[in-house]
Amino acid sequence: MSKDPQLVAEQLRKPSGALASDTALQMNKANKATNMAALELLNVVDHDRILEIGPGNGKFAVDVLRQGSSIRYTGVDWSSDMVASAKSLNSKYIESGRMDFKVGTSEKLPFADSQFEKAITVHTIYFWESLKTHLSEIRRVLVPGGKFCIAFGDKSFMQNLSFTPFGFQLFDESDIRTQLVEAGFRVLCCERHVEYGESNTGDLVEKLINIVLCEA
């Protein structure tokens, strides 16, 4: 993956073109621990219908299905290159009818109301122009009482990364709690994870990650 901070930022926002595959591999490596922690907090159970916003190449989608034999998973990503990769990587699960990927954005989801029991998104909110619009739309497609897990790097560490000045909005826990409540969610809990590992430029950093669970 490129070391140019602006190019890294552009690819993290929307992986595309010749760098898309390498970007996805680096994101999978950098974000694995956060994805697993968020999935654990979401507590997926059998028969849940799960929506993931921004799954990238769908590397972690199979981890969702492993939570039960009757789970249905749908990933929505605004990168057509990532959706194509996700469909290729997970073809057998798509053919079985348990998994699907669509090109789209959580600003306007291509689903009717109350279609999912649970939703999850990891490291995407930096790129949402209007958090309230995206959050309200996610709440719309959740069943009443449905759960939503949102994971993001805390502003305190993200602001020190070389690529975040290029188009990233940064937040702390209180910012997101406020936005969730304004969108009609009830915040259930917030976990703070400290991880030491690679950033998306391959540098070793200490990461402070907020993982918030809320209810529609």
Side-chain angles (χ1 to χ4, degrees):
M1 188 171 176
S2 172
K3 290 286 189 175
D4 177 73
Q6 186 167 358
L7 184 57
V8 168
E10 291 171 356
Q11 284 294 312
L12 292 177
R13 180 183 182 87
K14 189 176 185 180
S16 58
L19 294 177
S21 179
D22 285 346
T23 299
L25 291 175
Q26 183 58 45
M27 287 194 299
N28 291 342
K29 185 187 297 184
N31 300 340
K32 181 178 181 179
T34 300
N35 274 274
M36 294 302 99
L39 181 59
E40 182 177 0
L41 187 62
L42 187 59
N43 189 32
V44 175
V45 297
D46 216 2
H47 301 289
D48 275 345
R49 294 167 295 174
I50 310 298
L51 172 66
E52 181 171 13
I53 307 299
N57 70 353
K59 170 70 172 177
F60 302 111
V62 68
D63 293 303
V64 178
L65 293 191
R66 288 186 180 127
Q67 308 304 307
S69 61
S70 298
I71 290 167
R72 297 292 184 271
Y73 168 98
T74 302
V76 174
D77 202 291
W78 59 13
S79 167
S80 58
D81 286 341
M82 288 296 92
V83 170
S85 294
K87 286 182 174 180
S88 176
L89 183 64
N90 296 285
S91 58
K92 68 177 181 180
Y93 302 107
I94 294 171
E95 290 167 7
S96 75
R98 298 188 62 201
M99 192 182 290
D100 192 19
F101 293 92
K102 296 181 182 294
V103 177
T105 167
S106 51
E107 193 171 30
K108 190 173 183 180
L109 289 165
F111 309 110
D113 296 355
S114 304
Q115 292 296 295
F116 301 94
E117 278 73 38
K118 286 167 185 165
I120 186 170
T121 193
V122 176
H123 291 312
T124 61
I125 63 172
Y126 324 115
F127 313 118
W128 295 357
E129 291 185 11
S130 168
L131 260 71
K132 188 173 183 180
T133 299
H134 287 259
L135 294 174
S136 297
E137 184 69 349
I138 292 167
R139 183 173 179 269
R140 178 186 69 77
V141 302
L142 284 170
V143 300
K147 303 299 191 298
F148 175 42
C149 187
I150 182 169
F152 62 99
D154 195 83
K155 180 178 181 178
S156 62
F157 108 81
M158 292 285 288
Q159 65 190 358
N160 298 318
L161 299 176
S162 62
F163 50 84
T164 55
F166 301 99
F168 280 64
Q169 297 185 85
L170 303 181
F171 308 95
D172 58 26
E173 178 193 337
S174 63
D175 295 329
I176 299 306
R177 279 181 176 268
T178 299
Q179 294 276 355
L180 285 165
V181 170
E182 289 181 357
F185 284 100
R186 181 169 70 94
V187 176
L188 300 176
C189 65
C190 180
E191 295 187 356
R192 293 166 69 85
H193 287 246
V194 177
E195 303 170 7
Y196 188 74
E198 285 190 14
S199 73
N200 282 295
T201 52
D203 301 313
L204 290 176
V205 294
E206 185 177 86
K207 310 174 188 179
L208 175 57
I209 308 294
N210 298 304
I211 306 178
V212 184
L213 181 68
C214 55
E215 182 178 70

